[in-house]
Amino acid sequence: MTRQEATPTHRTPLNKDRVLRAAVALADATGIDALSMRRLAQELDVVPMALYKHVANKEELLDGMVDTVVGEIAPLTAGPDWQSAVRGRILSARRVLLRHPWAARVIESRTGPTPAVLAYLDSMAGSFRDGGLSADLTHHVMHAMGSRLLGFSQELFDTSGPSGPPGPELAARYPHIAELAATAAHDGSSPVGGGCDDQFEFEFALDLLLDGFESLRCQGWTSARKA
């Protein structure tokens, strides 16, 4: 046996972080539906059983992938006011989610928030409280923001199909929808295809909400007054 043959092949040690980052990269490249423990093991050049030393099952793998993605969101930065700080971080979250298009769907599929999501939401709630919003108002703000806190929102309609105003028959039947379609700004490079400018609509709703929350804060709003 030669000296070269006797030298063992060096392998990068497998650990949970490496497993999760490889899973995120695989989902980015092939889509979340193509992800399997077997496929991930092939990507890492290990036997599938080796993965189970680091994640108990695919659900735990998905939880870890969510936490890995959420960990990419920029931390809060100091701003002239709480709205600027919150807005900046939410738009950072949106950039992260656009880099990983499958992540929003996986986040929504979780039966409960993962540790990184909980920490993120806790810090966002802290931003509202530090900005002068009461605990009562912050509670309702978190509900109103929903998934927008993590950079995505559920659209009312699927706008990924061909864009453009409806034909004469549909326009006659649904005149207000036709009017909106004719006036809407469209963006062919939008992540949702040729439909509405998704980034603009996201920021429009975000700014509307943040301005509304600040107005309520200035009014000293409490849920006891909602009736």
Side-chain angles (χ1 to χ4, degrees):
M1 181 180 295
T2 67
R3 183 182 181 88
Q4 184 177 6
E5 290 173 333
T7 303
T9 303
H10 175 72
R11 282 179 178 270
T12 303
L14 196 64
N15 55 41
K16 188 170 185 177
D17 181 68
R18 186 177 167 217
V19 168
L20 295 177
R21 293 190 181 281
V24 168
L26 186 57
D28 288 346
T30 65
I32 196 65
D33 292 330
L35 177 69
S36 68
M37 299 295 274
R38 183 174 297 278
R39 179 75 184 274
L40 179 58
Q42 291 174 347
E43 195 73 16
L44 289 164
D45 194 25
V46 298
V47 296
M49 286 305 296
L51 299 179
Y52 293 100
K53 295 178 181 178
H54 306 284
V55 288
N57 48 46
K58 188 174 180 181
E59 289 304 304
E60 187 173 306
L61 175 69
L62 293 173
D63 283 347
M65 290 170 67
V66 166
D67 281 355
T68 299
V69 168
V70 171
E72 296 178 17
I73 300 172
L76 281 162
T77 56
D81 52 59
W82 72 268
Q83 287 178 261
S84 298
V86 167
R87 188 181 195 276
R89 197 175 194 206
I90 289 175
L91 292 181
S92 170
R94 181 165 177 77
R95 289 191 292 272
V96 169
L97 268 288
L98 290 176
R99 285 203 303 267
H100 307 289
W102 51 269
R105 178 176 153 199
V106 175
I107 290 171
E108 290 181 318
S109 74
R110 302 299 84 202
T111 56
T114 61
V117 170
L118 274 175
Y120 176 83
L121 295 178
D122 183 76
S123 69
M124 294 303 284
S127 298
F128 293 124
R129 295 288 286 121
D130 291 343
L133 280 67
S134 67
D136 180 32
L137 179 54
T138 297
H139 170 89
H140 297 286
V141 163
M142 299 289 282
H143 277 288
M145 290 294 292
S147 65
R148 280 191 177 86
L149 285 167
L150 285 162
F152 70 97
S153 59
Q154 181 63 50
E155 293 298 330
L156 182 59
F157 302 110
D158 178 8
T159 59
S160 59
S163 61
E169 184 179 341
L170 286 177
R173 188 179 304 174
Y174 309 111
H176 300 299
I177 295 296
E179 180 185 37
L180 295 181
T183 59
H186 292 88
D187 177 11
S189 64
S190 168
V192 294
C196 295
D197 184 338
D198 194 48
Q199 183 68 23
F200 179 88
E201 302 301 345
F202 184 89
E203 293 190 35
F204 174 80
L206 175 60
D207 290 339
L208 196 65
L209 286 166
L210 293 177
D211 288 345
F213 301 151
E214 174 63 6
S215 176
L216 291 176
R217 184 193 70 79
C218 291
Q219 296 171 34
W221 183 93
T222 71
S223 59
R225 293 168 52 188
K226 65 180 179 290

